[in-house]
């Protein structure tokens, strides 16, 4: 899969780990946060702390969904691919100063459980920075992961595998990512994902989801 072509702000790196592990982001004052959230501000200037947090987690979730689809014997790097470093490039794809790197190990087996275990750290850090409840932040992550799975499944012709991962991640009872409102599209090739929960993504100019309670408030 040509990740660089399909996802121009995402690079898959081989070799040693690069950048900060996600666990570093449990600290709300970690210097990496400034770079990560500045990336959001360059895309959506003036975005408030809660919208900023939602957009970051949604995009992080999207790339994790892609990572899950590219891990293992059918992923980038061949049969021995068991972990990968991903880097997020600033708007415009520049690799100059300001490059943001995040490392995420994606084991071939047990990837779902591993992802849940590492995501608790950025959720904890952002909950303090943005003064948001962790439940809402987990919902944003689940939305993003589902979008990444769906998009990558469509691009690679592996929708059945993508849906299977979706069920294991977003519908597993007891998981913080479990979300009863989140729905996989019935028309897999063309349908829209029904997102789950208030996410504040609309603050970046994104359209409201069908059935969003804000429709009533704006009426």
């Amino acid at each position: 899969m040509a990740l660089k072509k399909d996802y121009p702000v995402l690079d898959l790196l081989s070799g040693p780990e690069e950048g900060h592990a996600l666990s570093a982001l449990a600290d709300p004052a970690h210097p990496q946060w400034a770079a990560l959230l500045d990336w959001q501000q360059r895309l959506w200037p003036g975005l408030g702390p809660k919208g900023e947090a939602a957009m970051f987690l949604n995009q992080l979730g999207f790339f994790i969904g892609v990572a899950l689809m590219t891990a293992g014997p059918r992923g980038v790097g061949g049969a021995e691919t068991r972990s990968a470093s991903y880097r997020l490039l600033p708007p415009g794809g520049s690799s100059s100063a300001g490059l943001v790197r995040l490392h995420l190990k994606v084991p071939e087996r047990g990837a779902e459980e591993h992802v849940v275990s590492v995501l608790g750290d950025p959720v904890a850090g952002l909950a303090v920075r943005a003064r948001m409840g962790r439940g809402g932040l987990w919902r944003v992550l689940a939305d993003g992961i589902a979008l990444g799975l769906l998009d990558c499944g469509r691009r690679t012709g592996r929708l059945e595998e993508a849906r299977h991962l979706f069920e294991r991640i977003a519908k597993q009872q007891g998981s913080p990512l479990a979300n009863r409102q989140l729905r996989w599209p019935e028309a897999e090739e063309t349908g829209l994902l029904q997102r789950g929960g208030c996410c504040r993504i609309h603050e970046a100019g994104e359209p409201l989801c069908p059935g969003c309670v804000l429709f009533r408030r704006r009426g």
Side-chain angles (χ1 to χ4, degrees), residues 82-187:
R82 293 186 180 274
S83 67
S85 288
Y86 291 80
R87 60 182 180 181
L88 308 180
L89 303 179
S94 171
S95 58
S96 59
L99 177 70
V100 174
R101 294 186 177 95
L102 294 173
H103 182 77
L104 170 67
K105 290 184 178 179
V106 187
E108 183 179 343
R109 294 181 177 83
E112 302 84 2
E113 293 80 5
H114 176 78
V115 166
V116 168
S117 71
V118 299
L119 286 178
D121 294 313
V123 166
L126 263 187
V128 175
R129 286 187 69 96
R131 298 183 180 181
M132 294 180 70
R134 297 192 186 192
L137 295 177
W138 280 110
R139 286 194 294 273
V140 174
L141 269 169
D143 287 352
I145 291 173
L147 285 169
L149 292 172
L150 180 61
D151 186 78
C152 196
R154 284 172 172 167
R155 291 176 185 269
T156 59
R158 294 159 58 198
L159 279 167
E160 183 177 353
E161 181 181 347
R163 181 165 188 160
H164 175 69
L165 283 169
F166 168 79
E167 294 291 339
R168 292 188 62 177
I169 293 168
K171 298 298 178 181
Q172 187 174 18
Q173 188 174 1
S175 169
L177 288 166
N179 191 324
R180 63 183 178 82
Q181 296 170 305
L182 188 58
R183 294 285 185 274
W184 194 259
E186 293 184 9

